Amino acid sequence: MSRIQETFRKLKRARRGGFIPFITVGDPDLATTERLLIELANSGADIIELGVPFSDPVADGEVIQRASERALRNGVTVQDALRCARNVTRRIDVPLVLFSYFNPLLQFGEERLALAASRAGIDAVLVTDLIPEEAGSWIQNLCRHRLDPIFLVAPTTSDKRLTQIAQQARGFIYAVSRAGVTGERDRMTRDAEILVRRIRSLSDLPVAVGFGISTAEQVTGVWRFADAAVIGSAIVREIEKLSHSPDPMKCVGEFVRSLIPPVQLSAFQ
Amino acid sequence: MFKGPGLMLRISLQHFAQHDTAFMITSSEPDEHGHWGKFGGRYIPETLVAPLEELTTEFMRARTDEKFSRQFNVLLRDYAGRPTPLFYAQRLTAQAGGAQIYLKREDLLHTGAHKINNAIGQALLAQRMGKARIIAETGAGQHGVATATVCALLGLRCVIYMGAEDVRRQALNVFRMRLLGANVITVNAGTRTLKDAINEALRDWVTNVHDTYYLLGSALGPHPYPLMVREFQSVIGREAREQILAATGKLPCALVACVGGGSNAIGLFHPFIADEGVRLIGVEAGGCGDSLGKHAARFHSGTQSGGGRVGVLQGTMSYVLQDANGQIATTHSISAGLDYSAIGPEHAYLHDGGRAEYLQATDAEALEGLRLCAKLEGIIPALETAHAIVPAIKVASELSPEDAIIVNVSGRGDKDVQLVADLQRT
């Protein structure tokens, strides 16, 4: 059983939803990213998404675009992301998902990446602009090195494709809450819930919902129908704001704890 | 409507091309997922799969629909001004002292460039699909102007994304688009050029998929765009083929066209792909130096690792200018329309298969081409087009006077006159 499967099993037993924060590697710098990963793990993250910066992040809104730009100004590479992961996986017990656009990974080398990520203690890889149709050899390489390939599904995804994607995916399915790029929204539409119900009818994999979630209330809302909530832009924005703060770790930790609903959900599942 | 020699030959020789580059490709049809060999395909966020499939289905239907074909051809003729002439350029020919040089006059089209061919085709498709809002990116502004024009004609709402640097370089075209009723949005992200405009257009599309049609302007992006744009632009090559046969009684020795994303070049080349004796020559922007960032030549094979490598950008796999870590490189060209990091996937395929050749012309050579064409033929080409002139003269000079070559004059230079004037002053 993969560590991600195990995490979702534990969550189910505890009758609570999962909390999955996202940060960009090297924003504001690599040393801070390592400390942030530990802080996130200590603040209640169940899984962490580690974003590799890319020069042309078409699926991202302004907040994560700016984070990528900051990281790229520091010259952050795939190699740095892997080193960062390797340095912290000895010290935390939370599964890591490497989150990237395809080109940096392709240039690193498909097989080489799978091997290196596995050695660095990474558990899964999600590639924003790689759909299963183009991912034949990619999936094989990940599986050979015991990494879970995570795929996105969207409200526009047909049932036929949902079925196909569910067959290729391992670990969990990432449901995009709405058509659009990443970024906080004041209110969530019903799209996500409808999508998750469709996934449930076709697959037994756990479902995490992301895009547009930025408050504890929204996390609670998502937990009512999904297994986990992903929060990216809200945390990245906090990191951006706190770059000049004397104790940024403490502030980010507090912010993250404030996003996790305090009580177990008795109604969960 | 899309009948042409290139399309009638459906024998796919991709298999051979991958394993034996010495084998001549005589057809280049992608597979059903839009792959030419390893190039092309769809590398996009999941949300866009459904609209791209819808678009593919509709395009394939339109491709064989006589009514659509009629609509398209009537607008090309009565609105855009097709067919465009094939002009024998006597004085350029004399300058070269070799093969006869013919100019395919796409610059005479309504709005001043070949971009209108594709804009009409796709806007009709959007209308067929019931999409009332059109978005597009633009580099030089020619595709933006063509899109804004067709949207005005068909009563469609139009939003154009344009990089801030290009807005500065092509102020006249920005004004034209606004006059035509388009909402021009300046993009300040990244390098502020075509690539960033495409990123912003993709973000808009992924957010507004339900009512929006993305009218992509070059033979780039995810399937079906490279195929669709090529089909709408192939009218250039079909006309040119008939015209050169009528004028000289035989096929030309070579075709020469500038290549940014590559839509004017693929439009001219495609109907000649099966004609093995016809050299297909694309000209990339050599910019102002050999190192990465100084040019937009994806097939550049410089010693300072300035060339492109196979990679993925904006939905398609092709040759991409990038650094060692897979970050997309900045590019430079005097012409906004060629200032882009990737090349259309079919060009990558033709390049690797050895069917097409790609040369480079520097900024200075482009300016020289513009001056020569203006002084010798009374035709001021766009700076993009101007890249093809000096290499064409060189190619012609190596051939005999019984031979002929065709140069695609993809656009007219009115938009660039101010820039050229400024350069002469400094």
Side-chain angles (χ1 to χ4, degrees):
Chain A
M1 190 182 351
S2 78
R3 290 214 303 165
I4 287 177
Q5 268 178 297
E6 211 172 301
T7 299
F8 279 103
R9 201 161 287 193
K10 272 188 217 153
L11 285 168
K12 197 159 195 172
R13 270 202 301 272
R15 301 171 73 81
R16 51 175 288 263
F19 180 80
I20 309 180
F22 166 99
I23 60 170
T24 300
V25 181
D27 171 34
D29 56 64
L30 288 166
T32 309
T33 299
E34 288 185 18
R35 291 167 62 209
L36 277 169
L37 288 171
I38 292 162
E39 185 67 31
L40 290 172
N42 293 338
S43 302
D46 296 295
I47 295 171
I48 301 173
E49 287 185 355
L50 193 53
V52 175
F54 183 50
S55 53
D56 294 82
V58 291
D60 285 301
E62 286 178 17
V63 174
I64 294 178
Q65 283 179 49
R66 285 199 301 270
S68 292
E69 283 173 21
R70 285 191 296 272
L72 289 176
R73 271 200 297 274
N74 297 334
V76 170
T77 64
V78 172
Q79 194 86 59
D80 291 324
L82 297 172
R83 194 174 305 127
C84 199
R86 196 169 51 232
N87 290 346
V88 299
T89 42
R90 296 188 212 114
R91 295 151 69 187
I92 62 175
D93 196 28
V94 174
L96 287 183
V97 178
L98 193 70
F99 196 106
S100 181
Y101 288 83
F102 192 41
N103 199 54
L105 305 185
L106 183 66
Q107 301 309 321
F108 190 86
E110 292 194 17
E111 179 145 28
R112 181 177 165 221
L113 186 275
L115 176 65
S118 172
R119 283 191 180 154
I122 284 167
D123 298 89
V125 187
L126 192 165
V127 187
T128 319
D129 55 350
L130 189 64
I131 57 175
E133 286 89 333
E134 302 285 359
S137 60
W138 177 252
I139 295 169
Q140 280 177 9
N141 277 315
L142 291 189
C143 291
R144 194 173 306 140
H145 294 283
R146 297 172 182 278
L147 292 160
D148 290 329
I150 312 284
F151 287 101
L152 301 168
V153 301
T156 53
T157 306
S158 67
D159 280 353
K160 189 176 156 217
R161 277 181 59 75
L162 269 182
T163 311
Q164 288 164 352
I165 293 170
Q167 279 164 3
Q168 306 286 338
R170 301 275 181 283
F172 64 93
I173 289 178
Y174 187 129
V176 174
S177 70
R178 56 175 160 78
V181 294
T182 57
E184 309 103 301
R185 291 288 184 282
D186 290 342
R187 83 181 39 183
M188 303 270 299
T189 63
R190 291 259 304 157
D191 288 0
E193 188 173 351
I194 295 164
L195 174 60
V196 173
R197 280 189 209 291
R198 285 171 53 214
I199 299 168
R200 297 270 196 234
S201 71
L202 298 164
S203 166
D204 293 329
L205 281 172
V207 182
V209 173
F211 283 40
I213 305 169
S214 61
T215 65
E217 292 71 42
Q218 289 172 332
V219 172
T220 308
V222 166
W223 282 0
R224 288 201 187 95
F225 58 86
D227 302 292
V230 182
I231 299 200
S233 296
I235 294 171
V236 172
R237 188 192 290 281
E238 203 62 20
I239 293 168
E240 181 175 53
K241 275 199 303 213
L242 294 173
S243 59
H244 300 293
S245 148
D247 193 356
M249 285 315 125
K250 190 162 159 257
C251 298
V252 172
E254 273 168 18
F255 177 71
V256 166
R257 279 190 291 278
S258 80
L259 291 171
I260 305 176
V263 289
Q264 288 185 6
L265 282 175
S266 55
F268 182 71
Q269 295 285 306
Chain B
M1 73 184 215
F2 297 112
K3 287 196 187 78
L7 279 172
M8 279 150 67
L9 244 178
R10 286 199 179 266
I11 319 153
S12 173
L13 298 173
Q14 291 177 4
H15 176 73
F16 294 95
Q18 276 168 13
H19 301 288
D20 179 6
T21 49
F23 193 93
M24 178 70 91
I25 293 171
T26 54
S27 166
S28 71
E29 289 307 299
D31 70 14
E32 62 169 322
H33 299 295
H35 298 107
W36 283 270
K38 67 183 166 192
F39 302 109
R42 272 184 194 153
Y43 296 86
I44 37 140
E46 174 61 29
T47 303
L48 292 181
V49 173
L52 284 167
E53 282 185 354
E54 184 193 357
L55 177 59
T56 306
T57 306
E58 198 62 36
F59 168 64
M60 292 304 178
R61 224 177 267 156
R63 211 177 172 186
T64 53
D65 177 357
E66 278 183 25
K67 192 176 150 231
F68 182 83
S69 175
R70 214 165 28 241
Q71 265 184 312
F72 180 52
N73 289 329
V74 165
L75 282 181
L76 284 183
R77 187 189 67 202
D78 299 344
Y79 189 69
R82 301 211 74 92
T84 58
L86 184 74
F87 175 69
Y88 174 46
Q90 216 165 348
R91 298 188 66 205
L92 271 178
T93 300
Q95 170 87 16
Q100 303 154 45
I101 299 175
Y102 283 83
L103 304 178
K104 181 62 175 162
R105 298 292 310 275
E106 293 298 293
D107 60 311
L108 292 176
L109 286 171
H110 181 39
T111 70
H114 73 291
K115 294 290 185 188
I116 192 84
N117 302 326
N118 169 55
I120 290 175
Q122 286 200 53
L124 286 174
L125 205 55
Q127 205 177 35
R128 234 174 111 99
M129 295 169 77
K131 308 272 185 187
R133 179 174 180 268
I134 306 290
I135 58 170
E137 81 296 339
T138 197
Q142 290 304 105
H143 174 58
V145 167
T147 303
T149 297
V150 181
C151 286
L153 176 73
L154 300 178
L156 301 165
R157 267 193 300 149
C158 180
V159 176
I160 305 290
Y161 289 95
M162 190 169 185
E165 172 64 12
D166 294 337
V167 166
R168 185 188 66 78
R169 284 192 279 195
Q170 304 288 349
L172 181 65
N173 272 344
V174 175
F175 183 71
R176 289 167 81 195
M177 287 184 271
R178 291 193 168 133
L179 206 57
L180 291 159
N183 177 15
V184 181
I185 298 180
T186 303
V187 178
N188 279 303
T191 54
R192 306 168 171 205
T193 57
L194 180 59
K195 175 170 76 77
D196 310 287
I198 296 176
N199 285 342
E200 242 6 81
L202 283 168
R203 290 184 188 118
D204 180 318
W205 197 31
V206 85
T207 308
N208 301 296
V209 279
H210 56 287
D211 71 343
T212 296
Y213 182 97
Y214 181 17
L215 207 160
L216 189 58
S218 196
L220 291 167
H223 179 60
Y225 286 105
L227 172 66
M228 184 164 69
V229 174
R230 177 254 272 176
E231 290 292 87
F232 288 136
Q233 292 293 3
S234 288
V235 65
I236 303 172
R238 284 198 303 277
E239 283 177 9
R241 201 169 187 285
E242 272 180 31
Q243 289 165 324
I244 196 79
L245 286 173
T248 68
K250 59 180 184 179
L251 288 168
C253 281
L255 310 176
V256 187
C258 67
V259 190
S263 72
N264 91 81
I266 205 70
L268 176 64
F269 293 173
H270 200 263
F272 291 90
I273 286 176
D275 304 314
E276 294 187 20
V278 181
R279 285 168 66 193
L280 311 177
I281 303 170
V283 183
E284 298 185 284
C288 60
D290 285 342
S291 56
L292 203 57
K294 298 276 193 201
H295 61 82
R298 288 65 46 108
F299 297 129
H300 190 288
S301 52
T303 46
Q304 300 167 55
S305 72
R309 294 196 312 280
V310 175
V312 166
L313 177 63
Q314 294 170 335
T316 194
M317 184 173 283
S318 187
Y319 279 81
V320 181
L321 288 165
Q322 53 186 311
D323 70 13
N325 300 309
Q327 303 299 338
I328 308 308
T330 55
T331 51
H332 164 81
S333 170
I334 192 172
S335 67
L338 304 186
D339 202 352
Y340 182 67
S341 321
I343 190 165
E346 190 170 354
H347 284 290
Y349 176 69
L350 294 174
H351 171 267
D352 278 17
R355 179 64 188 93
E357 313 153 49
Y358 295 84
L359 308 174
Q360 283 113 36
T362 62
D363 287 351
E365 285 167 329
L367 284 168
E368 175 64 10
L370 184 135
R371 284 193 197 106
L372 278 172
C373 198
K375 282 206 174 135
L376 296 177
E377 299 296 342
I379 296 168
I380 302 175
L383 271 173
E384 288 76 13
T385 307
H387 283 74
I389 306 292
V390 170
I393 290 172
K394 186 162 181 296
V395 168
S397 74
E398 292 160 358
L399 296 166
S400 83
E402 296 88 68
D403 297 325
I405 70 166
I406 299 174
V407 182
N408 201 12
V409 184
S410 55
R412 73 176 81 125
D414 308 31
K415 69 184 177 59
D416 297 316
V417 169
Q418 186 65 52
L419 186 80
V420 175
D422 291 348
L423 282 171
Q424 279 178 342
R425 233 182 333 242
T426 52

